[in-house]
Amino acid sequence: MKRLVLLGASGSIGMQTIDVVHQHPSDFEVIAFSVGHHIEKIAEILKDSPVKNICVQEEKDAIELAHVYPDIHFVYGDEGLCWLAEKCEYDLLVNALVGFVGFMPTLKAIESGHDVALANKETLVVGGKLIYEALHRCHRSLYPIDSEHSAIFQCLQGNRHAEVKRLIITASGGSFRTKNREELKDVTVEQALNHPNWTMGAKITIDSATMMNKGFEVTEAHWLFDMDYDHIDVLMHPESVVHSMVEYVDHSTIAQMGAADMRLPIQYALTWPQRYPLAQEHPLDLAEIGSLHFSKPDVRRFPLLALAYEAGRKGGNLDAVMNGANEEANAAFRKGIIPFLMIEEIVIRAVNLAPFKEVETVQDLMDGDVWGRNFARTQIERNRI
Ligand code: MG
């Protein structure tokens, strides 16, 4: 029995993780979880996962809930997330939080001797260097839940790192892949949230439309698989059937394919190195799909993809700045405060204008994050619709 702490239980990945756990009740057990503001989900999750510890966002919610559930210990806020990651008795942290808030609990889990299944990509985008160092120092493992990275992880099994020529991350292109830049000027939040292949949370769906998400995934791959940026390529693939590939030195290219169902990468992160059965309504049927398409990405059309490579190669605090500015700009677009194309303008300006600093400590990351957020907030105020 593997005991799990699940952060971000009420989100899209969190709920699908619970579904995977319920498919294998004798193998996995959620022993603690966090739900942020979605306290209405607690009762539903508790029905099948009776836990002793829960983290919520607000202190007042924690106090009220402690009266409703006297047998459960409630913690709250960012410190509560770290408390679950550090103090509970468990085997694997499943981090399905959204945003930089996911970084500290990941670090605390590793430093307290736990392995992590990571869906929170901002952890590696912002703090990849410190996480990489902590994993080596503490002899812990990180299992990717992002579909592309799970695909690469699967394609790497049984092969040697030295024989890898390059990683090829596939990209659907998001909700606006057929629109040119002129047409992007007045797209709406509703249009952006309508992803053609995947059902995901709001923040990541907007990041997919700007392709910031794909840029983040390049950075994630850099840290997860210890691969330099010159050997990580992005390939447009509108069908989202090939989830990513690894090319070896003999040019043999191994691809992982599957239905667009996040429960597969979630489950593989929990069961590795084994594979378990997974009940799927629509497993992959290549005959039905018929043909697959691939093309090179147009970095002028998607400048945030190019920006992520640039920030990653320069290193230091720039990834933290980029992510902080993007979190603010993404949220402002979702609230209808700025137009779609303003997201990328703000993020690009932030990275270009930020004072460069090497990252040695968590405080350096926090400073980069705050600089990016403050810069973005000023720009958002100036460019309000
Ligand atoms: Mg992905």
PDB file of all heavy atoms in Angstrom, residues 80-115:
ATOM      1  N   GLY A  80       0.634  25.578   5.666  1.00  0.00           N
ATOM      2  CA  GLY A  80      -0.116  24.337   5.832  1.00  0.00           C
ATOM      3  C   GLY A  80       0.267  23.311   4.773  1.00  0.00           C
ATOM      4  O   GLY A  80       0.397  22.113   5.063  1.00  0.00           O
ATOM      5  N   LEU A  81       0.457  23.791   3.539  1.00  0.00           N
ATOM      6  CA  LEU A  81       0.878  22.886   2.455  1.00  0.00           C
ATOM      7  C   LEU A  81       2.236  22.260   2.789  1.00  0.00           C
ATOM      8  O   LEU A  81       2.447  21.059   2.625  1.00  0.00           O
ATOM      9  CB  LEU A  81       0.984  23.652   1.127  1.00  0.00           C
ATOM     10  CG  LEU A  81      -0.315  24.212   0.544  1.00  0.00           C
ATOM     11  CD1 LEU A  81      -0.005  25.121  -0.645  1.00  0.00           C
ATOM     12  CD2 LEU A  81      -1.251  23.092   0.118  1.00  0.00           C
ATOM     13  N   CYS A  82       3.146  23.099   3.278  1.00  0.00           N
ATOM     14  CA  CYS A  82       4.484  22.599   3.641  1.00  0.00           C
ATOM     15  C   CYS A  82       4.394  21.642   4.827  1.00  0.00           C
ATOM     16  O   CYS A  82       5.131  20.655   4.891  1.00  0.00           O
ATOM     17  CB  CYS A  82       5.412  23.772   3.976  1.00  0.00           C
ATOM     18  SG  CYS A  82       5.860  24.721   2.513  1.00  0.00           S
ATOM     19  N   TRP A  83       3.478  21.937   5.738  1.00  0.00           N
ATOM     20  CA  TRP A  83       3.302  21.050   6.905  1.00  0.00           C
ATOM     21  C   TRP A  83       2.897  19.658   6.442  1.00  0.00           C
ATOM     22  O   TRP A  83       3.467  18.651   6.890  1.00  0.00           O
ATOM     23  CB  TRP A  83       2.255  21.647   7.863  1.00  0.00           C
ATOM     24  CG  TRP A  83       2.221  20.934   9.188  1.00  0.00           C
ATOM     25  CD1 TRP A  83       2.941  21.228  10.313  1.00  0.00           C
ATOM     26  CD2 TRP A  83       1.422  19.773   9.510  1.00  0.00           C
ATOM     27  NE1 TRP A  83       2.656  20.327  11.308  1.00  0.00           N
ATOM     28  CE2 TRP A  83       1.731  19.433  10.860  1.00  0.00           C
ATOM     29  CE3 TRP A  83       0.500  18.998   8.815  1.00  0.00           C
ATOM     30  CZ2 TRP A  83       1.128  18.347  11.498  1.00  0.00           C
ATOM     31  CZ3 TRP A  83      -0.080  17.906   9.450  1.00  0.00           C
ATOM     32  CH2 TRP A  83       0.226  17.599  10.784  1.00  0.00           C
ATOM     33  N   LEU A  84       1.916  19.578   5.535  1.00  0.00           N
ATOM     34  CA  LEU A  84       1.485  18.262   5.019  1.00  0.00           C
ATOM     35  C   LEU A  84       2.663  17.542   4.359  1.00  0.00           C
ATOM     36  O   LEU A  84       2.874  16.346   4.572  1.00  0.00           O
ATOM     37  CB  LEU A  84       0.365  18.403   3.981  1.00  0.00           C
ATOM     38  CG  LEU A  84      -1.022  18.876   4.406  1.00  0.00           C
ATOM     39  CD1 LEU A  84      -2.000  18.664   3.259  1.00  0.00           C
ATOM     40  CD2 LEU A  84      -1.521  18.172   5.649  1.00  0.00           C
ATOM     41  N   ALA A  85       3.437  18.278   3.557  1.00  0.00           N
ATOM     42  CA  ALA A  85       4.531  17.674   2.781  1.00  0.00           C
ATOM     43  C   ALA A  85       5.647  17.171   3.691  1.00  0.00           C
ATOM     44  O   ALA A  85       6.339  16.206   3.370  1.00  0.00           O
ATOM     45  CB  ALA A  85       5.087  18.689   1.781  1.00  0.00           C
ATOM     46  N   GLU A  86       5.806  17.832   4.829  1.00  0.00           N
ATOM     47  CA  GLU A  86       6.942  17.560   5.693  1.00  0.00           C
ATOM     48  C   GLU A  86       6.597  16.622   6.856  1.00  0.00           C
ATOM     49  O   GLU A  86       7.373  15.749   7.224  1.00  0.00           O
ATOM     50  CB  GLU A  86       7.436  18.896   6.251  1.00  0.00           C
ATOM     51  CG  GLU A  86       8.904  18.936   6.501  1.00  0.00           C
ATOM     52  CD  GLU A  86       9.372  20.320   6.945  1.00  0.00           C
ATOM     53  OE1 GLU A  86       8.537  21.245   7.097  1.00  0.00           O
ATOM     54  OE2 GLU A  86      10.581  20.472   7.149  1.00  0.00           O
ATOM     55  N   LYS A  87       5.418  16.801   7.452  1.00  0.00           N
ATOM     56  CA  LYS A  87       5.132  16.167   8.737  1.00  0.00           C
ATOM     57  C   LYS A  87       4.284  14.897   8.670  1.00  0.00           C
ATOM     58  O   LYS A  87       4.294  14.112   9.605  1.00  0.00           O
ATOM     59  CB  LYS A  87       4.428  17.158   9.679  1.00  0.00           C
ATOM     60  CG  LYS A  87       5.209  18.440   9.928  1.00  0.00           C
ATOM     61  CD  LYS A  87       6.447  18.193  10.764  1.00  0.00           C
ATOM     62  CE  LYS A  87       7.158  19.512  11.075  1.00  0.00           C
ATOM     63  NZ  LYS A  87       8.554  19.305  11.451  1.00  0.00           N
ATOM     64  N   CYS A  88       3.525  14.714   7.588  1.00  0.00           N
ATOM     65  CA  CYS A  88       2.676  13.519   7.528  1.00  0.00           C
ATOM     66  C   CYS A  88       3.551  12.277   7.322  1.00  0.00           C
ATOM     67  O   CYS A  88       4.670  12.364   6.834  1.00  0.00           O
ATOM     68  CB  CYS A  88       1.688  13.625   6.374  1.00  0.00           C
ATOM     69  SG  CYS A  88       0.399  14.841   6.666  1.00  0.00           S
ATOM     70  N   GLU A  89       2.994  11.122   7.689  1.00  0.00           N
ATOM     71  CA  GLU A  89       3.704   9.873   7.440  1.00  0.00           C
ATOM     72  C   GLU A  89       3.160   9.270   6.147  1.00  0.00           C
ATOM     73  O   GLU A  89       2.002   8.839   6.099  1.00  0.00           O
ATOM     74  CB  GLU A  89       3.472   8.914   8.606  1.00  0.00           C
ATOM     75  CG  GLU A  89       4.760   8.279   9.080  1.00  0.00           C
ATOM     76  CD  GLU A  89       4.555   7.502  10.346  1.00  0.00           C
ATOM     77  OE1 GLU A  89       4.168   6.335  10.211  1.00  0.00           O
ATOM     78  OE2 GLU A  89       4.742   8.077  11.436  1.00  0.00           O
ATOM     79  N   TYR A  90       3.980   9.303   5.083  1.00  0.00           N
ATOM     80  CA  TYR A  90       3.479   8.886   3.773  1.00  0.00           C
ATOM     81  C   TYR A  90       4.637   8.453   2.881  1.00  0.00           C
ATOM     82  O   TYR A  90       5.812   8.587   3.254  1.00  0.00           O
ATOM     83  CB  TYR A  90       2.682  10.017   3.132  1.00  0.00           C
ATOM     84  CG  TYR A  90       3.518  11.220   2.717  1.00  0.00           C
ATOM     85  CD1 TYR A  90       3.826  11.446   1.378  1.00  0.00           C
ATOM     86  CD2 TYR A  90       3.998  12.126   3.650  1.00  0.00           C
ATOM     87  CE1 TYR A  90       4.582  12.542   0.982  1.00  0.00           C
ATOM     88  CE2 TYR A  90       4.762  13.220   3.267  1.00  0.00           C
ATOM     89  CZ  TYR A  90       5.049  13.421   1.932  1.00  0.00           C
ATOM     90  OH  TYR A  90       5.804  14.501   1.552  1.00  0.00           O
ATOM     91  N   ASP A  91       4.316   7.966   1.676  1.00  0.00           N
ATOM     92  CA  ASP A  91       5.337   7.453   0.769  1.00  0.00           C
ATOM     93  C   ASP A  91       5.586   8.349  -0.440  1.00  0.00           C
ATOM     94  O   ASP A  91       6.687   8.375  -0.974  1.00  0.00           O
ATOM     95  CB  ASP A  91       4.924   6.057   0.267  1.00  0.00           C
ATOM     96  CG  ASP A  91       4.687   5.112   1.426  1.00  0.00           C
ATOM     97  OD1 ASP A  91       5.641   4.855   2.170  1.00  0.00           O
ATOM     98  OD2 ASP A  91       3.531   4.669   1.613  1.00  0.00           O
ATOM     99  N   LEU A  92       4.535   9.027  -0.927  1.00  0.00           N
ATOM    100  CA  LEU A  92       4.688   9.799  -2.171  1.00  0.00           C
ATOM    101  C   LEU A  92       3.825  11.054  -2.102  1.00  0.00           C
ATOM    102  O   LEU A  92       2.631  10.985  -1.802  1.00  0.00           O
ATOM    103  CB  LEU A  92       4.248   8.937  -3.366  1.00  0.00           C
ATOM    104  CG  LEU A  92       4.370   9.558  -4.752  1.00  0.00           C
ATOM    105  CD1 LEU A  92       5.835   9.665  -5.181  1.00  0.00           C
ATOM    106  CD2 LEU A  92       3.598   8.729  -5.796  1.00  0.00           C
ATOM    107  N   LEU A  93       4.452  12.204  -2.399  1.00  0.00           N
ATOM    108  CA  LEU A  93       3.698  13.446  -2.512  1.00  0.00           C
ATOM    109  C   LEU A  93       3.217  13.589  -3.947  1.00  0.00           C
ATOM    110  O   LEU A  93       4.027  13.514  -4.874  1.00  0.00           O
ATOM    111  CB  LEU A  93       4.582  14.656  -2.159  1.00  0.00           C
ATOM    112  CG  LEU A  93       3.875  16.018  -2.288  1.00  0.00           C
ATOM    113  CD1 LEU A  93       3.047  16.305  -1.039  1.00  0.00           C
ATOM    114  CD2 LEU A  93       4.867  17.152  -2.529  1.00  0.00           C
ATOM    115  N   VAL A  94       1.909  13.771  -4.148  1.00  0.00           N
ATOM    116  CA  VAL A  94       1.392  14.092  -5.476  1.00  0.00           C
ATOM    117  C   VAL A  94       1.089  15.585  -5.466  1.00  0.00           C
ATOM    118  O   VAL A  94       0.184  16.041  -4.768  1.00  0.00           O
ATOM    119  CB  VAL A  94       0.123  13.281  -5.810  1.00  0.00           C
ATOM    120  CG1 VAL A  94      -0.370  13.643  -7.208  1.00  0.00           C
ATOM    121  CG2 VAL A  94       0.406  11.782  -5.718  1.00  0.00           C
ATOM    122  N   ASN A  95       1.895  16.343  -6.214  1.00  0.00           N
ATOM    123  CA  ASN A  95       1.747  17.794  -6.197  1.00  0.00           C
ATOM    124  C   ASN A  95       0.992  18.243  -7.445  1.00  0.00           C
ATOM    125  O   ASN A  95       1.557  18.324  -8.532  1.00  0.00           O
ATOM    126  CB  ASN A  95       3.124  18.462  -6.128  1.00  0.00           C
ATOM    127  CG  ASN A  95       3.005  19.968  -5.953  1.00  0.00           C
ATOM    128  OD1 ASN A  95       1.960  20.551  -6.245  1.00  0.00           O
ATOM    129  ND2 ASN A  95       4.077  20.588  -5.492  1.00  0.00           N
ATOM    130  N   ALA A  96      -0.292  18.534  -7.264  1.00  0.00           N
ATOM    131  CA  ALA A  96      -1.147  18.980  -8.368  1.00  0.00           C
ATOM    132  C   ALA A  96      -1.582  20.423  -8.150  1.00  0.00           C
ATOM    133  O   ALA A  96      -2.633  20.844  -8.628  1.00  0.00           O
ATOM    134  CB  ALA A  96      -2.367  18.055  -8.487  1.00  0.00           C
ATOM    135  N   LEU A  97      -0.767  21.189  -7.435  1.00  0.00           N
ATOM    136  CA  LEU A  97      -1.066  22.610  -7.248  1.00  0.00           C
ATOM    137  C   LEU A  97      -0.814  23.351  -8.556  1.00  0.00           C
ATOM    138  O   LEU A  97      -0.102  22.867  -9.429  1.00  0.00           O
ATOM    139  CB  LEU A  97      -0.175  23.196  -6.149  1.00  0.00           C
ATOM    140  CG  LEU A  97      -0.402  22.630  -4.743  1.00  0.00           C
ATOM    141  CD1 LEU A  97       0.736  23.051  -3.814  1.00  0.00           C
ATOM    142  CD2 LEU A  97      -1.746  23.099  -4.185  1.00  0.00           C
ATOM    143  N   VAL A  98      -1.387  24.554  -8.663  1.00  0.00           N
ATOM    144  CA  VAL A  98      -1.163  25.383  -9.847  1.00  0.00           C
ATOM    145  C   VAL A  98      -0.386  26.615  -9.414  1.00  0.00           C
ATOM    146  O   VAL A  98      -0.786  27.299  -8.473  1.00  0.00           O
ATOM    147  CB  VAL A  98      -2.508  25.803 -10.494  1.00  0.00           C
ATOM    148  CG1 VAL A  98      -2.249  26.734 -11.677  1.00  0.00           C
ATOM    149  CG2 VAL A  98      -3.274  24.576 -10.948  1.00  0.00           C
ATOM    150  N   GLY A  99       0.747  26.873 -10.090  1.00  0.00           N
ATOM    151  CA  GLY A  99       1.505  28.085  -9.821  1.00  0.00           C
ATOM    152  C   GLY A  99       2.702  27.862  -8.908  1.00  0.00           C
ATOM    153  O   GLY A  99       2.947  26.756  -8.407  1.00  0.00           O
ATOM    154  N   PHE A 100       3.436  28.950  -8.682  1.00  0.00           N
ATOM    155  CA  PHE A 100       4.682  28.919  -7.917  1.00  0.00           C
ATOM    156  C   PHE A 100       4.465  28.467  -6.474  1.00  0.00           C
ATOM    157  O   PHE A 100       5.391  28.000  -5.802  1.00  0.00           O
ATOM    158  CB  PHE A 100       5.319  30.314  -7.969  1.00  0.00           C
ATOM    159  CG  PHE A 100       6.614  30.428  -7.227  1.00  0.00           C
ATOM    160  CD1 PHE A 100       7.635  29.511  -7.436  1.00  0.00           C
ATOM    161  CD2 PHE A 100       6.823  31.457  -6.326  1.00  0.00           C
ATOM    162  CE1 PHE A 100       8.847  29.625  -6.756  1.00  0.00           C
ATOM    163  CE2 PHE A 100       8.029  31.578  -5.643  1.00  0.00           C
ATOM    164  CZ  PHE A 100       9.042  30.659  -5.858  1.00  0.00           C
ATOM    165  N   VAL A 101       3.223  28.574  -5.991  1.00  0.00           N
ATOM    166  CA  VAL A 101       2.890  28.126  -4.640  1.00  0.00           C
ATOM    167  C   VAL A 101       3.266  26.651  -4.444  1.00  0.00           C
ATOM    168  O   VAL A 101       3.487  26.196  -3.330  1.00  0.00           O
ATOM    169  CB  VAL A 101       1.388  28.376  -4.352  1.00  0.00           C
ATOM    170  CG1 VAL A 101       0.502  27.560  -5.290  1.00  0.00           C
ATOM    171  CG2 VAL A 101       1.043  28.072  -2.915  1.00  0.00           C
ATOM    172  N   GLY A 102       3.400  25.908  -5.552  1.00  0.00           N
ATOM    173  CA  GLY A 102       3.744  24.490  -5.464  1.00  0.00           C
ATOM    174  C   GLY A 102       5.209  24.208  -5.181  1.00  0.00           C
ATOM    175  O   GLY A 102       5.577  23.077  -4.864  1.00  0.00           O
ATOM    176  N   PHE A 103       6.040  25.241  -5.291  1.00  0.00           N
ATOM    177  CA  PHE A 103       7.489  25.016  -5.155  1.00  0.00           C
ATOM    178  C   PHE A 103       7.911  24.572  -3.751  1.00  0.00           C
ATOM    179  O   PHE A 103       8.585  23.544  -3.585  1.00  0.00           O
ATOM    180  CB  PHE A 103       8.262  26.280  -5.557  1.00  0.00           C
ATOM    181  CG  PHE A 103       9.726  26.189  -5.243  1.00  0.00           C
ATOM    182  CD1 PHE A 103      10.590  25.476  -6.064  1.00  0.00           C
ATOM    183  CD2 PHE A 103      10.247  26.791  -4.098  1.00  0.00           C
ATOM    184  CE1 PHE A 103      11.939  25.359  -5.759  1.00  0.00           C
ATOM    185  CE2 PHE A 103      11.597  26.681  -3.786  1.00  0.00           C
ATOM    186  CZ  PHE A 103      12.443  25.966  -4.619  1.00  0.00           C
ATOM    187  N   MET A 104       7.534  25.354  -2.733  1.00  0.00           N
ATOM    188  CA  MET A 104       8.027  25.070  -1.376  1.00  0.00           C
ATOM    189  C   MET A 104       7.602  23.694  -0.859  1.00  0.00           C
ATOM    190  O   MET A 104       8.427  22.969  -0.286  1.00  0.00           O
ATOM    191  CB  MET A 104       7.611  26.173  -0.390  1.00  0.00           C
ATOM    192  CG  MET A 104       8.504  27.405  -0.400  1.00  0.00           C
ATOM    193  SD  MET A 104      10.281  27.083  -0.316  1.00  0.00           S
ATOM    194  CE  MET A 104      10.462  26.612   1.396  1.00  0.00           C
ATOM    195  N   PRO A 105       6.330  23.293  -1.036  1.00  0.00           N
ATOM    196  CA  PRO A 105       5.957  21.945  -0.585  1.00  0.00           C
ATOM    197  C   PRO A 105       6.776  20.847  -1.268  1.00  0.00           C
ATOM    198  O   PRO A 105       7.129  19.844  -0.631  1.00  0.00           O
ATOM    199  CB  PRO A 105       4.475  21.825  -0.957  1.00  0.00           C
ATOM    200  CG  PRO A 105       3.992  23.216  -1.113  1.00  0.00           C
ATOM    201  CD  PRO A 105       5.154  24.048  -1.526  1.00  0.00           C
ATOM    202  N   THR A 106       7.115  21.025  -2.556  1.00  0.00           N
ATOM    203  CA  THR A 106       7.943  20.033  -3.254  1.00  0.00           C
ATOM    204  C   THR A 106       9.309  19.945  -2.584  1.00  0.00           C
ATOM    205  O   THR A 106       9.814  18.847  -2.286  1.00  0.00           O
ATOM    206  CB  THR A 106       8.138  20.413  -4.741  1.00  0.00           C
ATOM    207  OG1 THR A 106       6.868  20.643  -5.326  1.00  0.00           O
ATOM    208  CG2 THR A 106       8.856  19.313  -5.502  1.00  0.00           C
ATOM    209  N   LEU A 107       9.910  21.108  -2.342  1.00  0.00           N
ATOM    210  CA  LEU A 107      11.235  21.136  -1.725  1.00  0.00           C
ATOM    211  C   LEU A 107      11.207  20.515  -0.327  1.00  0.00           C
ATOM    212  O   LEU A 107      12.075  19.713   0.030  1.00  0.00           O
ATOM    213  CB  LEU A 107      11.740  22.591  -1.667  1.00  0.00           C
ATOM    214  CG  LEU A 107      13.186  22.777  -1.211  1.00  0.00           C
ATOM    215  CD1 LEU A 107      14.158  22.129  -2.205  1.00  0.00           C
ATOM    216  CD2 LEU A 107      13.524  24.263  -1.050  1.00  0.00           C
ATOM    217  N   LYS A 108      10.166  20.862   0.441  1.00  0.00           N
ATOM    218  CA  LYS A 108      10.051  20.326   1.813  1.00  0.00           C
ATOM    219  C   LYS A 108       9.878  18.809   1.790  1.00  0.00           C
ATOM    220  O   LYS A 108      10.425  18.101   2.641  1.00  0.00           O
ATOM    221  CB  LYS A 108       8.859  20.963   2.545  1.00  0.00           C
ATOM    222  CG  LYS A 108       9.038  22.440   2.830  1.00  0.00           C
ATOM    223  CD  LYS A 108      10.041  22.677   3.932  1.00  0.00           C
ATOM    224  CE  LYS A 108      10.192  24.157   4.226  1.00  0.00           C
ATOM    225  NZ  LYS A 108      11.391  24.457   5.020  1.00  0.00           N
ATOM    226  N   ALA A 109       9.092  18.312   0.837  1.00  0.00           N
ATOM    227  CA  ALA A 109       8.878  16.867   0.738  1.00  0.00           C
ATOM    228  C   ALA A 109      10.197  16.151   0.460  1.00  0.00           C
ATOM    229  O   ALA A 109      10.528  15.155   1.114  1.00  0.00           O
ATOM    230  CB  ALA A 109       7.861  16.559  -0.364  1.00  0.00           C
ATOM    231  N   ILE A 110      10.956  16.663  -0.497  1.00  0.00           N
ATOM    232  CA  ILE A 110      12.232  16.027  -0.857  1.00  0.00           C
ATOM    233  C   ILE A 110      13.187  16.071   0.333  1.00  0.00           C
ATOM    234  O   ILE A 110      13.798  15.055   0.693  1.00  0.00           O
ATOM    235  CB  ILE A 110      12.865  16.745  -2.081  1.00  0.00           C
ATOM    236  CG1 ILE A 110      11.963  16.572  -3.308  1.00  0.00           C
ATOM    237  CG2 ILE A 110      14.270  16.204  -2.367  1.00  0.00           C
ATOM    238  CD1 ILE A 110      12.310  17.495  -4.460  1.00  0.00           C
ATOM    239  N   GLU A 111      13.272  17.239   0.960  1.00  0.00           N
ATOM    240  CA  GLU A 111      14.233  17.400   2.064  1.00  0.00           C
ATOM    241  C   GLU A 111      13.849  16.573   3.293  1.00  0.00           C
ATOM    242  O   GLU A 111      14.702  16.291   4.131  1.00  0.00           O
ATOM    243  CB  GLU A 111      14.367  18.881   2.423  1.00  0.00           C
ATOM    244  CG  GLU A 111      15.135  19.637   1.343  1.00  0.00           C
ATOM    245  CD  GLU A 111      15.331  21.112   1.635  1.00  0.00           C
ATOM    246  OE1 GLU A 111      14.596  21.672   2.478  1.00  0.00           O
ATOM    247  OE2 GLU A 111      16.201  21.720   0.993  1.00  0.00           O
ATOM    248  N   SER A 112      12.555  16.207   3.400  1.00  0.00           N
ATOM    249  CA  SER A 112      12.161  15.348   4.522  1.00  0.00           C
ATOM    250  C   SER A 112      12.120  13.871   4.099  1.00  0.00           C
ATOM    251  O   SER A 112      11.523  13.037   4.779  1.00  0.00           O
ATOM    252  CB  SER A 112      10.808  15.796   5.102  1.00  0.00           C
ATOM    253  OG  SER A 112       9.815  15.789   4.099  1.00  0.00           O
ATOM    254  N   GLY A 113      12.737  13.563   2.946  1.00  0.00           N
ATOM    255  CA  GLY A 113      12.947  12.164   2.575  1.00  0.00           C
ATOM    256  C   GLY A 113      11.829  11.515   1.777  1.00  0.00           C
ATOM    257  O   GLY A 113      11.665  10.300   1.824  1.00  0.00           O
ATOM    258  N   HIS A 114      11.065  12.323   1.003  1.00  0.00           N
ATOM    259  CA  HIS A 114       9.945  11.759   0.242  1.00  0.00           C
ATOM    260  C   HIS A 114      10.163  11.891  -1.266  1.00  0.00           C
ATOM    261  O   HIS A 114      10.781  12.845  -1.727  1.00  0.00           O
ATOM    262  CB  HIS A 114       8.643  12.490   0.615  1.00  0.00           C
ATOM    263  CG  HIS A 114       8.286  12.350   2.051  1.00  0.00           C
ATOM    264  ND1 HIS A 114       8.632  13.290   2.998  1.00  0.00           N
ATOM    265  CD2 HIS A 114       7.639  11.361   2.722  1.00  0.00           C
ATOM    266  CE1 HIS A 114       8.190  12.896   4.184  1.00  0.00           C
ATOM    267  NE2 HIS A 114       7.595  11.726   4.050  1.00  0.00           N
ATOM    268  N   ASP A 115       9.606  10.924  -2.002  1.00  0.00           N
ATOM    269  CA  ASP A 115       9.562  11.040  -3.453  1.00  0.00           C
ATOM    270  C   ASP A 115       8.356  11.889  -3.829  1.00  0.00           C
ATOM    271  O   ASP A 115       7.393  12.004  -3.063  1.00  0.00           O
ATOM    272  CB  ASP A 115       9.426   9.650  -4.096  1.00  0.00           C
ATOM    273  CG  ASP A 115      10.684   8.817  -3.900  1.00  0.00           C
ATOM    274  OD1 ASP A 115      11.771   9.413  -3.718  1.00  0.00           O
ATOM    275  OD2 ASP A 115      10.582   7.576  -3.912  1.00  0.00           O
TER     276      ASP A 115
END
